[in-house]
Amino acid sequence: MSKVKKPQDASGSAPTEGKAKSKSRNTYRLEPRTKVQADLLQDKAQAILTNKLQYATYDGASSALLCASISEEILNAVKELNYDRYKYVVSVLIVEKANQAMIVSKHIICYTF
């Protein structure tokens, strides 16, 4: 049995007949097209929190569902702003105010893609 060599193009690889070409070119762009406006994000999140929690009382059993719905609503509001090359992370924490000391630290790191 003899081996038949496939034709090669100038780069030394076999031609890509029948394969779908990508619809857009690789731009090698590292930075986003628009920068995040932290003031706008904070105002949107504050409005959603005020709307959802204005008349709410703490209930340990239902607070997990409330956290999930609030975080999803904030995430959808941020996605509507159409920032490109960002990964969105929304974290909501609801605790009971029981005259105890509590320290919560948060670190926000924005990565672009």
Side-chain angles (χ1 to χ4, degrees), residues 9 24 36 39 44 47 53 59 70 78-79 86 100 103 105 110 113:
D9 61 7
S24 62
V36 171
D39 301 346
K44 283 188 174 280
L53 299 175
D59 178 25
I70 290 172
V78 172
K79 282 183 178 180
Y86 283 96
Q100 297 173 345
I103 299 173
S105 175
C110 295
F113 293 93

Side-chain angles (χ1 to χ4, degrees), residues 3 9-10 12 15 22 27 37-38 43 59 79 83 87-89 101:
K3 293 184 180 178
D9 61 7
S22 64
T27 61
Q37 298 172 345
D43 291 343
D59 178 25
K79 282 183 178 180
Y83 290 119
K87 181 184 276 188
Y88 307 118
V89 177

Side-chain angles (χ1 to χ4, degrees), residues 10-110:
S11 67
S13 61
T16 56
E17 293 178 22
K19 290 187 179 179
K21 293 184 179 180
S22 64
K23 294 181 181 180
S24 62
R25 284 193 233 156
N26 193 349
T27 61
Y28 299 103
R29 183 180 184 98
L30 298 177
E31 69 276 352
R33 286 175 176 68
T34 56
K35 298 286 184 182
V36 171
Q37 298 172 345
D39 301 346
L40 181 61
L41 294 179
Q42 188 171 358
D43 291 343
K44 283 188 174 280
Q46 188 65 40
I48 292 169
L49 287 170
T50 302
N51 185 29
K52 288 278 195 175
L53 299 175
Q54 189 172 11
Y55 301 108
T57 57
Y58 179 78
D59 178 25
S62 65
S63 63
L65 294 174
L66 185 59
C67 280
S69 74
I70 290 172
S71 64
E72 181 140 351
E73 193 169 334
I74 292 172
L75 182 63
N76 289 335
V78 172
K79 282 183 178 180
E80 287 175 2
L81 297 173
N82 292 326
Y83 290 119
D84 63 333
R85 299 180 182 262
Y86 283 96
K87 181 184 276 188
Y88 307 118
V89 177
V90 178
S91 178
V92 177
L93 175 66
I94 297 177
V95 295
E96 181 179 15
K97 183 178 177 183
N99 295 327
Q100 297 173 345
M102 180 174 179
I103 299 173
V104 176
S105 175
K106 66 178 180 178
H107 301 279
I108 300 174
I109 302 172
C110 295

